[in-house]
Amino acid sequence: MTSPGQQAIIWTGTYTPDGGGRAEGIGALAEHEDGSLEWLGTAVKADSPSFLAVHPTLPVVYAVAEQRKMVRAFRRTGDFGLEPLGEPQPAGDATCHVAVDPQGRFVTAACWGNGQVLLYELDADGALKSRFPAAPSVDPHAIVNPGEPRQSRAHASLMLADGRVMTTDLGHDTLRIWNYIPGTGLVVDHEVALPFGSGPRHLVQHHSGHVFVVSEYSVEVFVVRPEAGTFELVFRGPATSGGSTPDDSAAEICLDAQGNYAYTGVRGSNIISVLEVGGGGTELIPVKDFPSGGDWPRHHLVRETWLHVAHERSDNVATFALDPATGLPGPVVHSVQTPSPTALVPAR
């Protein structure tokens, strides 16, 4: 999405007043060579676009409208502007995440409020068209942990290297792996149950094929390994080196460019933790925790040797320089004010 002569842009997902935030819509940050970010302004007004995704080849951005139960597409215009592309499409309660197929065929959306996972096929311009609801989750822990039924809470989608899709369900403590069938949507391939009450939130795939998952409720990390077409749980460990408090909730996990280190964010204690990737991708070993540089680190992103951390409540993105040899950050080298940032997604 960034052509010669265009400045490098990072889009910011945000909360607007309908979600308790102070933003007006999708924001735009300019990336500079020294790692610093510059607030350019609001790219387009939109209701609580709390998570974003970008088309792999077209200048199109997809956004949830979390409080409005919608998914929207926007087309890039001018230096950093966006304009609506097609009509908003209905989604589910508290739609909190979108992801785009690497081949540009479809977009997935996860709905925290009612657990729905949705797929929208795309036309040649990248606009949203056909909408396909996926099968609802069934709690795998219901038999051994009887009581009040737990609400399914789909939270994120990951496009796997083999073409399948993996989604997290915070409420049912599950990972679901799906196959895409054109004209039908997502069909369940298999599921992986994580420990009861862990709350898997976000996930990332390592170059080894293993998938790393961070859990919001238990503040842990999990590794699932692909084996003969199915994934199996092979590792469970803490997401931080210093433990967590009862008020903490983990938010995001990402990798450095080489896949040697993972970074987890924890809201409440307001820390980022560095974890070393070990065992050929089968282990995540906490190395060090450090202050995130603001209040409520909702999302973070590694760009080459820079780590950018978005803070929803203190309205800032803090930037750290990373030591490539150790994965550790130095002190905050730059902080930019930006209203209620909830996601950092680079333009391509």
Side-chain angles (χ1 to χ4, degrees), residues 62 89 101 104-108 118-124 126-132 180-186:
Y62 303 95
Q89 296 296 309
D101 166 51
R105 298 169 297 174
F106 61 84
V107 166
T108 55
L118 300 162
L119 181 141
Y120 304 84
E121 291 184 332
L122 303 177
D123 68 18
L128 301 160
K129 53 174 189 176
S130 309
R131 173 183 180 271
F132 301 97
Y180 166 59
I181 299 178
T184 298
L186 295 174

Side-chain angles (χ1 to χ4, degrees), residues 8-79:
I9 298 290
I10 294 178
W11 307 114
T12 65
T14 67
Y15 277 130
T16 54
D18 70 332
R22 293 157 294 285
E24 295 183 336
I26 299 172
L29 295 166
E31 267 188 295
H32 299 302
E33 291 185 1
D34 64 358
S36 65
L37 301 177
E38 177 188 357
W39 170 245
L40 298 176
T42 299
V44 65
K45 291 186 176 182
D47 295 320
S48 287
S50 61
F51 207 86
L52 312 171
V54 299
H55 194 282
T57 58
L58 299 173
V60 178
V61 176
Y62 303 95
V64 303
E66 186 167 329
Q67 311 303 320
R68 307 298 183 186
K69 305 179 185 180
M70 294 189 305
V71 175
R72 302 187 66 182
F74 298 92
R75 178 169 40 212
R76 189 164 177 178
T77 178
D79 290 338

Side-chain angles (χ1 to χ4, degrees), residues 161-326:
D162 65 9
R164 292 180 294 179
V165 180
M166 183 180 289
T167 60
T168 59
D169 194 303
L170 273 164
H172 286 174
D173 303 311
T174 56
L175 307 176
R176 295 202 282 170
I177 296 86
W178 310 81
N179 290 302
Y180 166 59
I181 299 178
T184 298
L186 295 174
V187 176
V188 175
D189 185 291
H190 66 285
E191 300 184 3
V192 179
L194 298 187
F196 182 83
S198 54
R201 178 182 170 93
H202 276 198
L203 64 177
V204 65
Q205 189 166 29
H206 188 253
H207 60 69
S208 63
H210 298 77
V211 174
F212 303 156
V213 184
V214 66
S215 59
E216 178 171 337
Y217 301 151
S218 63
V219 193
E220 293 178 291
V221 287
F222 299 89
V223 177
V224 292
R225 177 176 62 195
E227 190 70 37
T230 63
F231 284 87
E232 61 176 348
L233 178 62
V234 295
F235 179 84
R236 176 187 187 182
T240 68
S241 63
S244 59
T245 72
D247 294 330
D248 281 346
S249 60
E252 173 66 346
I253 183 168
C254 74
L255 291 166
D256 71 342
Q258 293 73 38
N260 295 326
Y261 298 96
Y263 300 86
T264 57
V266 179
R267 299 164 294 182
S269 292
N270 294 338
I271 59 172
I272 301 293
S273 183
V274 183
L275 299 95
E276 184 177 2
V277 177
T282 62
E283 300 177 325
L284 290 171
I285 304 157
V287 177
K288 187 176 182 180
D289 307 332
F290 61 96
S292 66
D295 187 12
W296 214 249
R298 175 70 176 250
H299 195 253
H300 56 273
L301 173 72
V302 172
R303 297 283 281 171
E304 299 179 353
T305 59
W306 307 102
L307 171 67
H308 305 300
V309 185
H311 296 93
E312 179 187 335
R313 295 183 179 176
S314 54
D315 299 325
N316 74 300
V317 178
T319 297
F320 301 83
L322 297 175
D323 183 332
T326 66

